[in-house]
Amino acid sequence: MPGSPDARDAYRAPLGTHDVLAPESDRWQELVARFADRARRFGYGLVLTPIFEHAEVFHRVGESTDVVSKEMYEFEDRGGRHLALRPEGTASVVRAFVQHRPPVPWKCWYLAPNFRAERPQKGRYRQHYQLGAEVLGVDDPDVDVEVMALLWGFLRELGLTRVRLLLNSMGDPESRAQYREVLLAYLHDHAGLLGDEMARAELNPLRILDSKRADWQPMLDAAPRLGDHLGDDSRAHFERVQAGLRALDIPFELSARLVRGFDYYTRTTFELQSDTIDAAQNALGGGGRYDRLAEEMGGPPTPSIGFGAGIERILLACDAEGALPAPGARVDVFVVDLLGTEDATVLLHELRERGVACDRAYGGRSGKKQWSAADKAGATFGVMLAPREADAGVVAVKDLRSGEQVEVKRAEVGDWLRDRTGHE
Ligand code: HAM
């Protein structure tokens, strides 16, 4: 069958996707837990939406963008419905808002896989995960500042320092339409340089602005700027956003050529870039306002703003900066069983019910092998169940870091270990 993988590839994760196993998955959990905690402190609630939607939901957000026109995984289901795997989170959140009409401001956060059929490379995958936050129903520039502070502080709390916040305003759709014509005329004057890309420029001239092509840079630097075409309201809003960021001591760089990859953006747009990753993949997160999207999906006028941040890229930046190391020990206690009875099973159960993380070896392995498994598990304590101790009603507990060994009454060892492993 055309397109079907040969036997060698069939049992490998598809191109551009990957499995995440422990201990790397422990880092994921830690990252998500920290984001969830921060989002809670900022007053955001978790939202879960389906992994696929009616394809129109996404066509709405970017007909002229690569993500939607070239990279989307679209399919027909068995009932003949035209569906698409989610390429990004905002459209789904707005669809859910229009469907359920929760009271505004609606402040939500999410963790979700997204699918884009891109050319895979380090930091660019066909399935990637985003942590995101959205606020629907607020026009106030203070909320733009809040959303950026949420993401900025999250990255700082992880220990990332080589991160820059780039800020721009896309203005309102009317002033942007005027600017589009001015820019297109300018690009026409440089059609020779643009070559085949002129066709793409006709479709979406703003996207040309954030091209990384070295030979275009002087032409792009001299291009007319959207900032010079902002309407009065957009300009005032943008100034308030900048004042808010300054008040919070969040450094930012104005970036007139920051053009984000979806059609829905209005006014504030931003991106957090890491200096530690190749330029083509250096955005750890980005977002902006999408004041018209809810209306376009049949909802009431709902000015809104949010961001998405790629987990894989944040972890690449953490690797480069030595931040968020993989957590060490997975268990506190390892039970070494020389009895071969049910006692080990019962002791492990008692400990786990008390909140102590513990493990064991299986299959009647030698004492030596079990002690070495205890070391490998990174346990703090090894607890030995052996005939002589069992007869005396005690267990031998060894502190695996100091090597010190003590005897503890079997009836008391559960509480004893709970008290020494810092669990309630
Ligand atoms: P985006 O810039 O397309 O925005 O994606 C957000 C983040 O997801 C990027 O900054 C990057 O870290 C990560 N990302 C995107 N594509 C990939 C990929 N192929 N592989 C790995 N990581 C990737 C959005 O998706 C908007 N929904 C953000 C938003 C929310 N705007 C307003 N609200």
Side-chain angles (χ1 to χ4, degrees):
M1 242 172 77
S4 60
D6 70 25
R8 232 184 16 250
D9 291 335
Y11 301 116
R12 300 184 65 82
L15 185 68
T17 71
H18 50 264
D19 306 307
V20 185
L21 280 59
E24 184 64 5
S25 52
D26 294 332
R27 286 176 90 204
W28 275 65
Q29 264 190 315
E30 176 65 24
L31 193 83
V32 174
R34 289 194 193 193
F35 188 83
D37 181 56
R38 196 169 166 84
R40 186 189 53 75
R41 275 186 269 150
F42 278 65
Y44 293 63
L46 177 67
V47 61
L48 303 169
T49 61
I51 236 164
F52 56 84
E53 298 272 355
H54 294 289
E56 298 90 286
V57 171
F58 302 119
H59 281 283
R60 168 76 53 203
V61 308
E63 210 64 82
S64 66
T65 65
D66 285 355
V67 172
V68 172
S69 65
K70 294 195 195 141
E71 297 167 357
M72 207 147 79
Y73 287 92
E74 294 183 62
F75 59 98
E76 212 166 80
D77 77 358
R78 286 162 200 268
R81 295 172 199 87
H82 185 194
L83 303 171
L85 294 184
R86 166 175 58 212
E88 64 103 41
T90 310
S92 302
V93 168
V94 174
R95 195 271 310 141
F97 172 80
V98 170
Q99 182 174 341
H100 303 287
R101 300 283 178 91
V104 295
W106 189 42
K107 298 171 66 166
C108 56
W109 73 275
Y110 49 85
L111 159 69
N114 296 286
F115 305 86
R116 301 179 188 180
E118 303 202 68
R119 196 167 61 78
Q121 47 203 298
K122 195 172 178 193
R124 190 172 292 282
Y125 310 105
R126 292 191 168 175
Q127 174 175 333
H128 73 276
Y129 282 83
Q130 280 184 27
L131 289 163
E134 315 281 353
V135 183
L136 285 86
V138 188
D139 191 42
D140 192 331
D142 285 357
V143 88
D144 305 34
V145 176
E146 174 182 299
V147 158
M148 284 185 264
L150 171 53
L151 180 57
W152 172 261
F154 169 63
L155 299 176
R156 298 300 285 214
E157 278 180 359
L158 290 176
L160 296 177
T161 56
R162 295 175 60 189
V163 177
R164 293 179 304 138
L165 169 59
L166 305 187
L167 186 66
N168 195 12
S169 174
M170 303 293 286
D172 54 69
E174 293 73 25
S175 57
R176 191 157 74 237
Q178 280 168 11
Y179 170 70
R180 189 182 183 282
E181 296 313 313
V182 174
L183 179 64
L184 194 54
Y186 175 84
L187 294 176
H188 270 296
D189 290 344
H190 296 83
L193 180 64
L194 287 165
D196 290 349
E197 291 295 310
M198 195 59 225
R200 201 162 73 97
E202 296 273 3
L203 205 60
N204 191 348
L206 271 72
R207 278 308 295 191
I208 301 290
L209 287 179
D210 70 353
S211 163
K212 308 252 162 34
R213 272 186 58 167
D215 54 333
W216 290 4
Q217 296 311 308
M219 180 272 288
L220 294 175
D221 284 339
R225 288 173 179 249
L226 178 54
D228 298 331
H229 294 257
L230 292 183
D232 290 345
D233 286 354
S234 294
R235 188 182 309 282
H237 185 96
F238 195 39
E239 274 160 17
R240 276 289 311 277
V241 171
Q242 294 175 53
L245 289 172
R246 280 191 211 102
L248 295 188
D249 281 332
I250 297 178
F252 60 90
E253 296 165 33
L254 292 181
S255 175
R257 282 175 38 196
L258 175 71
V259 179
R260 307 231 341 109
F262 296 101
D263 294 345
Y264 49 63
Y265 287 115
T266 51
R267 299 196 277 175
T268 311
T269 52
F270 60 96
E271 209 160 270
L272 279 110
Q273 300 184 349
S274 167
D275 291 341
T276 65
I277 304 181
D278 283 351
Q281 279 84 243
N282 68 358
L284 303 187
R289 282 204 159 267
Y290 45 93
D291 293 337
R292 308 283 172 101
L293 188 56
E295 245 174 308
E296 284 170 17
M297 289 196 193
T302 312
S304 307
I305 182 165
F307 66 79
I311 293 189
E312 293 85 354
R313 290 205 193 160
I314 295 173
L315 287 174
L316 282 176
C318 287
D319 290 343
E321 294 206 42
L324 198 74
R330 301 181 58 76
V331 296
D332 300 312
V333 174
F334 201 92
V335 175
V336 171
D337 174 31
L338 304 180
L339 296 175
T341 61
E342 278 73 44
D343 293 29
T345 303
V346 172
L347 175 58
L348 280 147
H349 188 69
E350 279 179 32
L351 290 172
R352 289 167 178 162
E353 295 299 320
R354 282 176 168 74
V356 178
C358 54
D359 209 352
R360 60 174 289 180
Y362 301 96
R365 306 177 72 200
S366 72
K368 195 168 160 226
K369 284 204 171 132
Q370 292 188 57
W371 281 112
S372 113
D375 279 333
K376 272 201 200 117
T380 312
F381 294 104
V383 178
M384 185 171 69
L385 300 175
R388 189 186 61 79
E389 283 82 358
D391 287 346
V394 297
V395 294
V397 180
K398 187 170 171 186
D399 183 323
L400 292 168
R401 285 173 297 195
S402 66
E404 193 185 323
Q405 191 161 317
V406 291
E407 285 189 345
V408 181
K409 285 198 183 115
R410 170 64 187 83
E412 290 168 10
V413 73
D415 290 346
W416 193 95
L417 284 166
R418 182 197 56 203
D419 295 344
R420 282 162 185 75
T421 50
H423 299 281
E424 289 305 311

